[in-house]
């Protein structure tokens, strides 16, 4: 089951297809035109989904629990909302007066718009769900549940946690034979990496096991050999090759080992949270902020 990202969303598969879309990802796909009504903006999302993915679609949004003050997800929301954004009352006929970024930076505005958008999607017979808190587990479970009914199932989103969870859960399902996505091909080529991915499901995994598993997967993803290379070596060799070109993008270089370890620890904490295993975030890559 391929995982879509910004680079491969336009791939058109043969056979029947079901698409599960991360609602948070979807919000960023449409440009909000000034002086448009909120109803017209919602209709553009419906048109976008139908034109791009057809009729068999599920859109799943994060929830916004009021008692979620200490979660890592809420910490990220608070960080993004650090700049003041006013609360705005609006409905379908209200004309947009703010930029999308400014309006959605306010949590109440975002909740209100998602409710408006959900109604528009449901009216167009698009399946809509909203998680109690974080949507990623519901997204992956929804995708897995429809695999027997379709030739091709796509998950559209950009969250690294979503990718880790999909990989971990897929290691216990027969999903990797479908599609030609690079990530899936990676696990077909390196079957031992499935065991590495399963580390993220183990509630007793040690920090060293998690960080090693994460680095092994990333080394393979960037074209290296996990048995003989680490990310820092791969990053250096990739830089040397890239520097010989007239143009290159530093953002395409592999992560440093330190950055990869932090990603792996946070991903493990998130997966364990989804599985109902409470872990101290301070021991898994998070820290207190003032």
């Amino acid at each position: 089951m391929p995982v879509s990202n910004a680079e491969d969303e336009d791939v058109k598969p043969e056979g029947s297809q079901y698409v599960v879309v991360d609602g948070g990802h979807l919000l960023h796909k449409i440009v909000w035109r000034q002086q448009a009504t909120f109803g017209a903006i919602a209709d553009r999302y419906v048109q976008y989904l139908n034109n791009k993915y057809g009729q068999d679609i599920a859109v799943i949004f994060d929830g916004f629990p009021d008692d979620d003050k200490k979660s890592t997800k809420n910490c990220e929301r608070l960080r993004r909302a650090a700049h003041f954004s006013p609360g705005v009352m609006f409905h379908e006929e209200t004309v947009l007066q703010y930029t999308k970024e400014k309006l959605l930076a306010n949590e109440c505005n975002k909740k209100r718009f998602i409710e408006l958008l959900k109604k528009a999607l449901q009216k167009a017979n698009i399946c809509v769900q909203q998680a109690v808190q974080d949507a990623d587990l519901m997204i992956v479970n929804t995708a897995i549940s429809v695999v027997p009914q379709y030739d091709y199932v796509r998950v559209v989103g950009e969250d690294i946690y979503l990718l880790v969870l999909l990989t971990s859960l897929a290691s216990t399902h027969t999903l990797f034979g479908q599609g030609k996505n690079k990530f899936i091909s990676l696990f077909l080529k390196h079957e031992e990496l499935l065991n590495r991915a399963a580390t993220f499901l183990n509630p007793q995994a040690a920090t060293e096991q998690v960080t090693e598993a994460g680095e092994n997967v990333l080394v393979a993803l960037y074209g290296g050999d996990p048995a003989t290379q680490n990310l820092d070596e791969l990053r250096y060799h990739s830089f040397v090759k890239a520097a010989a070109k007239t143009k290159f993008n530093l953002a395409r270089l592999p992560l440093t080992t330190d950055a990869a370890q932090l990603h792996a620890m946070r991903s493990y904490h998130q997966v364990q949270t989804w599985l109902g295993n409470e872990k101290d975030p301070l021991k898994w890559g998070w820290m207190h902020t003032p």
Side-chain angles (χ1 to χ4, degrees), residues 88-248:
V88 179
M89 295 299 298
F90 57 86
H91 50 76
E92 286 87 346
E93 301 303 321
T94 304
V95 175
L96 177 66
Q97 301 292 338
Y98 297 90
T99 64
K100 175 174 64 174
E101 291 72 22
K102 187 170 184 178
L103 187 130
L104 294 183
N106 182 291
E107 195 89 335
C108 292
N109 294 342
K110 189 173 184 178
K111 290 181 186 179
R112 191 172 293 117
F113 180 73
I114 287 175
E115 287 302 316
L116 186 151
L117 179 56
K118 284 166 58 180
K119 291 178 182 178
L121 296 174
Q122 290 166 340
K123 186 177 179 181
N125 295 317
I126 293 174
C127 177
V128 181
Q129 300 179 61
Q130 188 162 17
V132 174
Q133 184 179 323
D134 187 59
D136 292 347
L137 182 59
M138 183 178 287
I139 289 170
V140 172
N141 282 338
T142 299
I144 289 174
S145 71
V146 299
V147 165
Q149 305 168 43
Y150 292 86
D151 298 318
Y152 193 95
V153 178
R154 298 175 65 187
V155 175
V156 180
E158 295 179 338
D159 194 334
I160 187 171
Y161 297 142
L162 181 61
L163 189 59
V164 169
L165 180 61
L166 181 61
T167 304
S168 301
L169 291 181
S171 67
T172 61
H173 294 75
T174 55
L175 303 179
F176 284 101
Q178 302 188 36
K180 298 180 180 179
N181 181 272
K182 178 182 178 182
F183 195 80
I184 305 306
S185 299
L186 170 70
F187 282 87
L188 290 174
K189 183 178 179 181
H190 302 280
E191 293 186 11
E192 71 278 5
L193 292 181
L194 288 176
N195 293 327
R196 295 294 190 179
T199 301
F200 289 85
L201 293 175
N202 179 8
Q204 305 302 324
T207 303
E208 294 76 12
Q209 292 175 303
V210 171
T211 55
E212 182 181 357
E215 182 169 7
N216 284 171
V217 172
L218 287 173
V219 167
L221 187 62
Y222 281 108
D225 181 0
T228 61
Q229 291 178 294
N230 62 39
L231 277 172
D232 288 335
E233 293 171 340
L234 192 61
R235 182 180 174 87
Y236 171 75
H237 291 302
S238 298
F239 174 78
V240 171
K241 288 182 180 179
K245 301 178 181 178
T246 55
K247 291 184 179 180
F248 69 93

Side-chain angles (χ1 to χ4, degrees), residues 262-274:
L262 186 62
H263 276 299
M265 291 168 66
R266 289 186 173 188
S267 297
Y268 175 79
H269 177 266
Q270 186 65 66
V271 170
Q272 291 302 311
T273 299
W274 287 323

